[in-house]
Amino acid sequence: MDTLVRTSKDNSVTQDMDFTKSAPSLHTLPEEILSYLFSFLRTPSILSCTSTCRYLRKVLDDSSALQYVIELEAQKMVEVTAPDAMTSPAERLEILRSQMCSWRAFKPTIVNQFVQPGGEVSMSFGHLSTWDDHPQIAQIRTLDSGLSESQSYKRWDADGYPMPKDTPFRVHSVCMDPSQDLFAFVALEPNHMAEISSRIYLETISTSEPHPLAASEILMSFKPHISANCQFDQTKMKLKIWGDRIVLLSICDEYSCPARIQIWNWQEKQDFKCVYREKEPYDKVDDCCFVNRDHLIVSSRMTGRLPCRLSIFSFFDLGKPPVRVAECILPFQPEGTFLRHSPFVTISPDIRRSMAPQDTRFYPDAKNQLIALNIDGPPSFVFIIDTDKLLTTCQSGIHTEGQTRVLPWKEWGPNCSRCIVDPVPNSLYVLRLEVAGGRAVHATPNDACTSYSLRTYDFNKYRISRAAASKDFRGRIVTEPSTFKHRSFDEDIVTSLPYMVVVDEEPIETAANMIDVTFDDENIMIIKACKSHLFEYAMLRYHTEFGEG
């Protein structure tokens, strides 16, 4: 009996050992299955797995789908395609790499020129928006639409907007988001209660009808003034959109009247909004911009000899006032500041369905973007700030709940920013630099300021490393810290954010001052003054067709 039992156990052990020897491993799985399994991992995990042996590395080398996922994350981009898109991962990978290469050997060509009113200019999702405050006119132009001239743009005139009789009405700011077919504008209407009523109207760009996703056609707000010296025409408004969030910044020229921030979720029906107002009017607020869906940056100048600062607000719960989580101090006191940042792309289902199956477009990931803090001069200069690094710095270290962190320049500035200065300093030209995602475009004046050169910057580490290894890269890579000295500064400004820069060899001739430059994923727009309330726009295409170098 013992012998039978022992033999039975031995057979069982032998069977188990045979099963273990024949058990499948990663090396025995087909490449198609491995590629599918790896697609559920993030890029660092994919690279770690495929670096363990030649077979797994071959799986990555043979899979366009995996390479495409890695390329998207490395470039910090997101794709936008039609629901019935016919392009394969290999085709999308080629398009993405081609767009990356186009910035290495920058040679834009003019593809269109036209004249329309100027003022505030923004460019997003293949649309150009301009807003001229004095005649109260906005125009939205569809770029490369293939439509006739009469169909390619839309004119919006505030004077023709129906309003109640005898009601003073003035539009103070407009904002568009073509990816959501959203056009928003804010109007102020003083009433008899010593208050100013702010109304934000939400319409579609395509039809000028109330937006179907809006919980209410109009967002209402009242701004009571605490100073009798504040006049109606001294109030300025700035409107910004980020997906389902809208922020309204109210600024008054009267120092005794503090700025006010109001934030809505325009797609949800609610009786409340997120409101913030300084308790003491001790600073001069200039501008604001979204950093992500729940964070806002506000630039302001302090009164007296106190320096400029960037305040970071958090508003996870719109039912409560925004919380100022950090104040980032800058080591100077400028004449004025304004912020530029990437437009956030939120593709609505209707927009996506209207795309052609062969269309594939790439936009910066909203979680990784730059902001440009423009400083009015003379001399004028710009700080390019990496918001991902900035938020990480503000959230690191010891922090007491409910208290605002105050970060001196040396704790955040050198590692999170890079100062860009015109190569030809002058007292007449105000530097204009536009950012989108990890890139920036800058029009710099030449010696006599009769012509300008386009400079393109890229702050993405992956694209910088690929450019350094490329034979066709025609620019310069800057990794060393740079020092900016100025007599009005208490200390030298040191910044060290790595970047690469490419200069277009063909100068832009102009008899007038360069007004502005803006760009999106495919085009750069050069804006020059030509006559009263009209500006000349030159659209340049910078994508090229050559492949990976």
Side-chain angles (χ1 to χ4, degrees):
M1 179 66 71
D2 292 340
T3 304
L4 289 175
V5 172
R6 187 166 55 254
T7 303
S8 176
K9 290 181 178 179
D10 292 342
N11 290 338
S12 177
V13 172
T14 303
Q15 291 175 0
D16 290 342
M17 292 177 62
D18 291 341
F19 176 77
T20 302
K21 290 181 179 179
S22 62
S25 65
L26 286 177
H27 300 83
T28 62
L29 294 176
E31 289 189 16
E32 295 79 5
I33 294 179
L34 285 173
S35 178
Y36 175 74
L37 293 175
F38 287 157
S39 67
F40 291 95
L41 302 178
R42 293 185 57 82
T43 292
S45 299
I46 297 175
L47 295 176
S48 296
C49 290
T50 55
S51 64
T52 58
C53 68
R54 294 180 180 178
Y55 178 68
L56 296 184
R57 178 65 190 184
K58 183 177 183 298
V59 173
L60 175 60
D61 293 339
D62 293 344
S63 174
S64 298
L66 286 181
Q67 294 179 44
Y68 177 60
V69 170
I70 293 173
E71 189 79 20
L72 266 180
E73 187 167 339
Q75 291 200 44
K76 302 186 185 301
M77 305 290 280
V78 293
E79 72 166 24
V80 177
T81 57
D84 55 346
M86 304 298 293
T87 52
S88 65
E91 292 171 321
R92 293 198 293 271
L93 178 63
E94 183 179 357
I95 295 172
L96 185 58
R97 285 178 172 171
S98 176
Q99 291 184 5
M100 178 176 66
C101 292
S102 67
W103 280 63
R104 295 184 193 166
F106 184 70
K107 192 64 180 175
T109 56
I110 296 178
V111 295
N112 192 13
Q113 289 180 287
F114 52 88
V115 174
Q116 78 179 50
E120 296 182 12
V121 177
S122 64
M123 199 167 171
S124 173
F125 198 60
H127 289 70
L128 174 73
S129 170
T130 62
W131 163 246
D132 196 341
D133 181 59
H134 294 295
Q136 295 271 284
I137 293 175
Q139 286 195 178
I140 300 175
R141 179 179 293 266
T142 304
L143 305 174
D144 294 336
S145 63
L147 303 174
S148 65
E149 180 67 19
S150 61
Q151 296 174 312
S152 64
Y153 71 91
K154 176 182 176 182
R155 179 186 176 97
W156 184 93
D157 192 340
D159 292 338
Y161 202 82
M163 290 299 296
K165 294 182 178 180
D166 303 324
T167 300
F169 176 81
R170 181 168 182 81
V171 175
H172 278 251
S173 182
V174 302
C175 195
M176 74 159 185
D177 183 356
S179 69
Q180 300 187 93
D181 195 21
L182 175 62
F183 178 69
F185 63 96
V186 57
L188 296 185
E189 305 158 19
N191 58 30
H192 302 292
M193 301 298 293
E195 294 180 340
I196 291 183
S197 171
S198 304
R199 297 189 179 192
I200 301 176
Y201 294 79
L202 307 172
E203 300 180 348
T204 60
I205 296 175
S206 55
T207 64
S208 298
E209 298 293 330
H211 200 285
L213 296 181
S216 176
E217 179 183 353
I218 301 175
L219 302 177
M220 291 292 297
S221 172
F222 289 91
K223 177 181 179 292
H225 289 302
I226 63 173
S227 171
N229 298 324
C230 187
Q231 303 296 322
F232 172 67
D233 57 0
Q234 291 180 305
T235 302
K236 298 179 182 178
M237 318 292 284
K238 295 204 174 185
L239 196 63
K240 305 291 178 75
I241 300 173
W242 181 283
D244 59 0
R245 305 297 176 95
I246 281 185
V247 63
L248 177 64
L249 175 64
S250 305
I251 307 171
C252 184
D253 290 337
E254 174 61 41
Y255 271 94
S256 60
C257 186
R260 180 168 174 166
I261 302 169
Q262 301 172 82
I263 306 167
W264 290 264
N265 184 328
W266 61 276
Q267 297 181 7
E268 291 184 1
K269 187 69 175 178
Q270 53 192 9
D271 296 328
F272 59 85
K273 56 188 170 298
C274 197
V275 180
Y276 178 88
R277 188 177 65 187
E278 292 284 5
K279 295 180 180 179
E280 297 181 9
Y282 61 90
D283 61 350
K284 182 66 175 175
V285 173
D286 284 324
D287 205 352
C288 72
C289 71
F290 282 102
V291 182
N292 53 40
R293 189 173 182 267
D294 299 314
H295 287 86
L296 191 75
I297 283 186
V298 177
S299 66
S300 57
R301 293 166 286 136
M302 309 290 280
T303 57
R305 297 181 58 83
L306 296 175
C308 176
R309 65 175 177 172
L310 293 177
S311 298
I312 301 178
F313 290 88
S314 173
F315 47 91
F316 293 99
D317 184 356
L318 293 188
K320 299 177 181 179
V323 177
R324 184 162 54 188
V325 296
E327 287 187 4
C328 301
I329 307 300
L330 288 127
F332 53 84
Q333 174 65 295
E335 295 294 327
T337 63
F338 63 93
L339 292 165
R340 285 188 160 180
H341 59 103
S342 302
F344 176 53
V345 177
T346 307
I347 308 298
S348 66
D350 290 339
I351 294 291
R352 193 181 293 271
R353 281 192 293 268
S354 66
M355 296 176 63
Q358 68 274 14
D359 284 349
T360 300
R361 304 184 70 168
F362 299 96
Y363 293 92
D365 189 340
K367 298 178 182 178
N368 300 277
Q369 66 162 330
L370 303 174
I371 60 171
L373 176 64
N374 289 257
I375 311 297
D376 287 345
S380 63
F381 52 96
V382 173
F383 281 99
I384 305 296
I385 300 172
D386 186 320
T387 59
D388 189 37
K389 283 189 173 184
L390 180 62
L391 288 179
T392 300
T393 302
C394 293
Q395 294 167 357
S396 62
I398 301 174
H399 176 55
T400 303
E401 187 69 24
Q403 293 186 0
T404 301
R405 295 195 64 186
V406 179
L407 299 177
W409 164 258
K410 290 183 178 180
E411 289 188 20
W412 72 273
N415 293 329
C416 299
S417 66
R418 176 71 72 165
C419 185
I420 305 295
V421 186
D422 275 331
V424 183
N426 66 93
S427 59
L428 299 177
Y429 177 77
V430 178
L431 183 149
R432 290 293 185 264
L433 183 147
E434 181 72 288
V435 294
R439 289 168 167 164
V441 172
H442 177 199
T444 62
N446 296 321
D447 294 335
C449 295
T450 57
S451 65
Y452 296 82
S453 296
L454 279 180
R455 295 171 179 260
T456 59
Y457 300 82
D458 199 323
F459 292 82
N460 181 277
K461 288 184 177 181
Y462 169 74
R463 291 193 291 255
I464 292 174
S465 64
R466 296 301 295 267
S470 173
K471 297 180 180 179
D472 57 23
F473 179 58
R474 304 174 191 172
R476 182 168 58 98
I477 295 175
V478 181
T479 58
E480 296 298 320
S482 58
T483 302
F484 178 45
K485 298 181 180 181
H486 188 261
R487 62 181 181 274
S488 64
F489 295 165
D490 296 332
E491 57 185 290
D492 292 344
I493 306 261
V494 178
T495 55
S496 59
L497 197 64
Y499 70 93
M500 63 180 179
V501 57
V502 180
V503 181
D504 182 16
E505 298 176 355
E506 188 71 25
I508 303 169
E509 303 292 338
T510 175
N513 288 335
M514 177 73 67
I515 301 300
D516 216 337
V517 57
T518 185
F519 73 104
D520 63 4
D521 63 312
E522 290 186 344
N523 306 298
I524 295 175
M525 195 70 69
I526 303 298
I527 306 157
K528 299 184 290 184
C530 58
K531 48 187 174 181
S532 179
H533 297 301
L534 291 176
F535 295 82
E536 179 184 343
Y537 295 80
M539 187 172 72
L540 291 78
R541 176 64 49 80
Y542 61 79
H543 282 174
T544 56
E545 298 300 329
F546 58 81
E548 180 73 7

